[in-house]
Every structure is written in C-alpha cells, then in structure tokens.
Amino acid sequence: QVHLAESGGGLVQAGGSLRLSCAASGRTVSNDVMGWFRQAPGKEREFVAAIRWTGDYIEYADSVKGRFTISRDNTKATVYLQMSSLKPEDTAAYYCAVSRKLSKAPDDYVHWGQGTQVTVSS
C-alpha cells in the first residue's frame, strides 16, 4: 500500500555531492521512521541514516557521519539524503524504507523502494 520511489542517483567524482530523494505515496504515519540503506555487490545491506517524520529521531552510520545529512519535507512526503565528500566506498545501490519503530535493522523496515544506484569514481 505504501509506495516509495527513490531518485537522484548517478555517477559522481570522488569528493563530489549528490542528493537522493525518496517520495512516499499512500498512507503515511507521523511516527513512522524513514531509513536509508545501501548495498554494494557481495556485501550485506547496511544502515546509512534514518529520520522520523516528526523530526525527533535522527541517526547516522559512523561511516557517513559528518558527510551525509538526512532531512524530510512533510508537505511533499519526501525524505532526502544529501551526500557530500563522496568516496569510492560509498558506491552502492541506495534504498529508502519505512519502519514502524526506531531501528537501524533492515528487518524492521516493512516497505522498501526499488533503489537508486550511486557510483563514485576516483
């Protein structure tokens, strides 16, 4: 019922920036948490960042802290991931997802988008 659509991925040089967007449609609940995850080939899906629609919960993975910023626009039902100082190791498919509770665990997220590819070249 909830549909998530990521956009904004692409190819960028190391040190550059990208902004990913995740547009949510269907039923949205204010206490829900929106998370960003990424998965590189041969790697497990890993937590990147999360934010509650109410804005009272924000978390980042240590690997992106200080470089990535998660934000939301409730009027557009859209969550953003502003990525700066990108590194080749940030290369992955990036997914947004919805959880009913505060969590960094992929299994707690019940709706997922199809992903958008981010490739960082050196």
Side-chain angles (χ1 to χ4, degrees):
Q1 185 171 348
V2 177
H3 182 255
L4 304 175
E6 302 98 332
S7 62
L11 175 65
V12 65
Q13 295 286 331
S17 299
L18 283 174
R19 188 180 76 159
L20 306 184
S21 299
C22 175
S25 60
R27 177 65 173 170
T28 58
V29 179
S30 62
N31 282 338
D32 280 355
V33 173
M34 299 295 298
W36 285 99
F37 294 80
R38 66 187 183 187
Q39 188 166 25
K43 302 289 187 180
E44 296 293 320
R45 188 163 297 189
E46 70 170 330
F47 172 80
V48 176
I51 187 170
R52 206 174 210 166
W53 286 114
T54 54
D56 61 350
Y57 169 81
I58 300 177
E59 292 288 343
Y60 296 96
D62 288 343
S63 59
V64 307
K65 201 168 296 181
R67 300 188 299 120
F68 291 10
T69 301
I70 189 169
S71 62
R72 91 290 188 199
D73 185 339
N74 290 13
T75 66
K76 297 183 174 68
T78 299
V79 173
Y80 305 96
L81 186 68
Q82 178 66 51
M83 307 184 295
S84 300
S85 301
L86 283 162
K87 306 173 181 179
E89 50 262 48
D90 295 317
T91 295
Y94 283 71
Y95 301 87
C96 67
V98 179
S99 175
R100 306 304 184 193
K101 64 181 182 181
L102 310 181
S103 178
K104 302 178 181 180
D107 287 350
D108 286 332
Y109 286 75
V110 297
H111 299 285
W112 293 81
Q114 293 301 303
T116 185
Q117 179 67 36
V118 172
T119 302
V120 184
S121 63
S122 60

